[in-house]
Amino acid sequence: MHDLRRQALESGKTVSRKAKSRQSSAASSKNASPAVSRNASRVASRSASDDEGNLSDTTDFSTASIDDLSASIEEIDDQPGGWTQHLADMVTLITDRKRSSVQGREGTINHFSRILMAHYAKDEIFSSIEELVPALLKCARAGASERESVLALKAIALILITAPSDVSYDTLGQSLRSIVTDAQSGEVKVAAIHTLSVAVFYGGASLEETEDVMTLLLEIVESDGTSVEAEDDADVVTASLEAWGFLATQLDDMEDSSEEAVDALADQLESSHTNVQIAAGENIALLYEKSCTELEEDEDPQDAEIDVDPETYTANGPKMIRRYPVYGREHMLIQKLSELSNISTKRLSKKDRRTMHSSFPDIVKTVEHPSHGTKTLRVGIGGNVMHIKTWEQLQRFKALKRVLQSGFVIHYTENEAVFETIPLILSERQRTTKGVSTTRPHSGRMEYVNGMLGVGDDGE
C-alpha cells in the first residue's frame, strides 16, 4: 500500500495531525520504506458553468472508465432491435455466468452499464432485477479481475438509481460493507464505497442504518484509510468523504454529531492532497448550512439569531436562523480555511491552486454565514438551466454525476428518482415566463430520502 503521508513528509509537504502521530510512533519500531509516487485524483471544479460536463469530481468512480468501450451507444442503437434488444441480451449474459470468461464478463457488464447510462431503462430491467443484482454482486465479490469487480459495482449503482427500491439495502448493505473492508484493491474499495452510499440513499435504508454507514465512512476518514486496510490511500479517503457528504444531505438535524464530524474533517484539511482537502471543506460547509434554517411563521425574529450574510441578504427575503453552534473552535477553523483559500505553495500545480482558490472562499463564507451557499453552478437541462446554489444540492449533483456520467441529463429529464433528488431550480426569468410561483422558500430541504419520495420543497 502506498504510504502517501510518508511521501509528504519526505518532500516537505503537510500531513494531517493523526498521520504525524502515527508516523512518530511507528518510526521507533520500523524503518521508513521508500516513497512511492501516486497519481492524484481529479479535483472538483465548482465554477459556474452552463455545461454540466465542465464539473469534475474529486474521485472517479473507477479508473476502469465506463466510456472506454469501443462500440458507441449510437452504434448499439442502430443495430437490429436497437438498444432494448441489446440490453436484453446483456441481461441474459450477466445472469448466466456459465462458460463465460473474465474478459467476456467485463465487456458484457460494460455494455450493460453504458446502455443504462444512456437510456432510462427501468421498464426494461425491472423484471430481471432479482436475478441481475445477485449475479453482479457475485462478480463484485469474487471477480477474477479488479476491473470486473469495479464494473459490477458500477452496474449495481446504476440499477439502484434507475429502479430505486425500499428493500435493496437489506439485500446489498452487508455485502457492500464487506467489500469496502476486505477488498485488496483500492479501486475496488472506492467503487464499493460509492455504491454503498447509493444503496443507502436509494435502497430503503433506515435512519439508523444510514447513520451506521456514515460512522463507518467517518472512521475511514479519521484513520486515513487504516480502518479498512487502505492506509494513506487518498482515493479511499476522498471517496469516504464524498459518500459521507452525500448521505449527510438526508439528515435534517445534525446538532449532536456536528462537533465530532467537523473535528475529523478539519484534520483532513492538513492533508497533502487537494482532493481530500476540498472534499473535507465542502462537508464542513454542508454541516454549517444545515445549522441554518428559515424562520418559522410562529417564531419571533427578535428572539432568534438571524444570519445576515451581506452578499445574499435582502430585506424582503427569507430570514435565516442559526439553530445551533456547529463547532467550538470556529475561530481556528476559519483561520485554516482562509489559509487554504489563499494558498500559494509551489508544491501545488497551477490547476490545483486555481481549484483551491475557487472552492475555499465560499467554504469560509459559509462557516461565517451558514446561509451563504456555494458558488452557483449552472447546468443545462434541455431548454432550462438548473441552478446549484446550496452545498446540499452540490453534494447530490456530484454523487449522481459520478455514477451517471454523461447520462445525467437523460436521467434527470426522464427518471423521476433523479429529478426528485435535485428538483429543478429555474432562473427568475424562466419562472416568470413559465408562470411558476416565485414564493418558494430559500432553503427548504430536498426530500428524496431512503428510496422514498417525501413531502417537501427545494428552494432558490
Side-chain angles (χ1 to χ4, degrees):
M1 194 65 65
H2 299 300
D3 192 336
L4 300 175
R5 304 296 183 185
R6 185 177 297 113
Q7 175 188 334
L9 278 180
E10 293 176 350
S11 61
K13 299 176 182 178
T14 60
V15 295
S16 71
R17 293 192 301 274
K18 287 187 178 63
K20 289 177 182 177
S21 176
R22 285 204 309 274
Q23 289 166 336
S24 177
S25 62
S28 61
S29 60
K30 65 180 181 179
N31 295 326
S33 61
V36 183
S37 64
R38 183 185 183 91
N39 292 330
S41 302
R42 291 183 299 150
V43 179
S45 170
R46 296 187 301 104
S47 302
S49 170
D50 290 329
D51 179 7
E52 76 281 1
N54 289 342
L55 181 78
S56 61
D57 298 309
T58 50
T59 58
D60 293 328
F61 198 97
S62 74
T63 55
S65 172
I66 209 74
D67 288 326
D68 64 2
L69 194 63
S70 59
S72 70
I73 288 296
E74 290 76 15
E75 291 171 341
I76 292 174
D77 290 347
D78 290 340
Q79 292 177 4
W83 68 268
T84 55
Q85 181 58 52
H86 199 72
L87 179 61
D89 293 341
M90 297 303 101
V91 170
T92 299
L93 290 171
I94 290 171
T95 55
D96 182 9
R97 287 170 52 97
K98 295 178 181 178
R99 296 182 298 278
S100 64
S101 66
V102 59
Q103 292 83 6
R105 290 194 298 275
E106 290 173 357
T108 298
I109 298 170
N110 208 350
H111 273 80
F112 174 81
S113 295
R114 285 287 303 279
I115 297 171
L116 282 195
M117 285 192 298
H119 300 280
Y120 176 46
K122 180 179 180 179
D123 292 342
E124 286 74 18
I125 67 169
F126 190 79
S127 62
S128 303
I129 288 177
E130 290 187 3
E131 296 178 272
L132 270 170
V133 171
L136 288 167
L137 191 57
K138 185 174 182 179
C139 292
R141 288 185 301 194
S145 71
E146 178 181 273
R147 178 173 169 80
E148 180 184 355
S149 295
V150 170
L151 288 172
L153 289 162
K154 168 85 173 188
I156 291 171
L158 283 164
I159 289 172
L160 290 167
I161 292 176
T162 299
S165 164
D166 59 2
V167 297
S168 293
Y169 182 77
D170 294 339
T171 303
L172 291 166
Q174 191 55 50
S175 294
L176 292 173
R177 289 179 64 128
S178 295
I179 296 173
V180 171
T181 303
D182 301 333
Q184 298 299 306
S185 162
E187 284 195 21
V188 174
K189 287 181 185 291
V190 167
I193 287 167
H194 286 310
T195 300
L196 177 61
S197 69
V198 171
V200 171
F201 198 95
Y202 292 102
S206 66
L207 175 61
E208 181 180 358
E209 288 168 331
T210 300
E211 292 176 337
D212 190 42
V213 171
M214 290 177 67
T215 298
L216 167 69
L217 296 170
L218 201 61
E219 288 173 354
I220 297 173
V221 172
E222 289 178 312
S223 68
D224 292 324
T226 303
S227 65
V228 292
E229 299 184 2
E231 183 175 0
D232 297 323
D233 190 318
D235 290 337
V236 170
V237 173
T238 303
S240 299
L241 287 164
E242 292 167 341
W244 187 93
F246 178 45
L247 296 182
T249 67
Q250 293 186 300
L251 306 184
D252 287 329
D253 186 353
M254 297 191 67
E255 179 176 2
D256 294 338
S257 56
S258 288
E259 180 81 23
E260 179 183 0
V262 174
D263 200 41
L265 297 170
D267 184 62
Q268 292 300 328
L269 296 176
E270 303 289 347
S271 171
S272 56
H273 292 263
T274 56
N275 50 1
V276 173
Q277 292 174 302
I278 291 171
E282 290 180 347
N283 284 344
I284 290 171
L286 174 66
L287 288 172
Y288 270 86
E289 180 178 86
K290 280 183 167 294
S291 72
C292 194
T293 62
E294 190 172 341
L295 181 73
E296 302 289 344
E297 291 182 1
D298 59 352
E299 289 183 301
D300 185 346
Q302 294 184 345
D303 296 332
E305 183 182 356
I306 306 293
D307 183 53
V308 181
D309 180 0
E311 292 190 23
T312 61
Y313 179 81
T314 58
N316 297 325
K319 292 181 171 57
M320 304 302 294
I321 308 299
R322 289 193 182 210
R323 300 295 178 181
Y324 54 85
V326 176
Y327 190 55
R329 290 174 286 174
E330 188 172 290
H331 176 73
M332 295 175 62
L333 178 63
I334 292 175
Q335 182 178 5
K336 178 59 183 178
L337 292 170
S338 298
E339 291 174 1
L340 294 174
S341 69
N342 296 297
I343 194 167
S344 59
T345 177
K346 295 294 181 64
R347 75 175 179 82
L348 295 180
S349 67
K350 290 183 179 179
K351 180 181 178 181
D352 284 349
R353 285 199 297 271
R354 284 196 302 269
T355 304
M356 297 284 278
H357 296 163
S358 173
S359 301
F360 277 97
D362 283 305
I363 294 171
V364 174
K365 290 173 184 176
T366 300
V367 172
E368 295 173 333
H369 297 288
S371 63
H372 177 80
T374 182
K375 184 185 281 86
T376 300
L377 175 71
R378 298 175 180 86
V379 184
I381 304 291
N384 295 318
V385 176
M386 180 173 66
H387 290 177
I388 302 294
K389 293 185 176 182
T390 71
W391 296 102
E392 183 173 283
Q393 294 161 359
L394 182 66
Q395 289 281 2
R396 294 188 175 195
F397 174 69
K398 290 172 69 174
L400 287 168
K401 278 284 289 180
R402 268 191 296 273
V403 181
L404 298 172
Q405 297 180 23
S406 59
F408 174 81
V409 172
I410 294 294
H411 279 263
Y412 194 85
T413 55
E414 298 184 20
N415 185 340
E416 183 178 2
V418 172
F419 176 82
E420 296 296 351
T421 301
I422 320 175
L424 187 64
I425 309 157
L426 299 176
S427 68
E428 185 70 28
R429 178 182 60 79
Q430 288 172 311
R431 286 188 283 122
T432 302
T433 301
K434 295 178 181 293
V436 179
S437 170
T438 60
T439 60
R440 304 177 75 187
H442 175 74
S443 63
R445 295 295 179 194
M446 291 171 284
E447 295 295 329
Y448 196 90
V449 179
N450 296 319
M452 302 296 291
L453 175 62
V455 178
D457 277 329
D458 165 60
E460 270 290 274

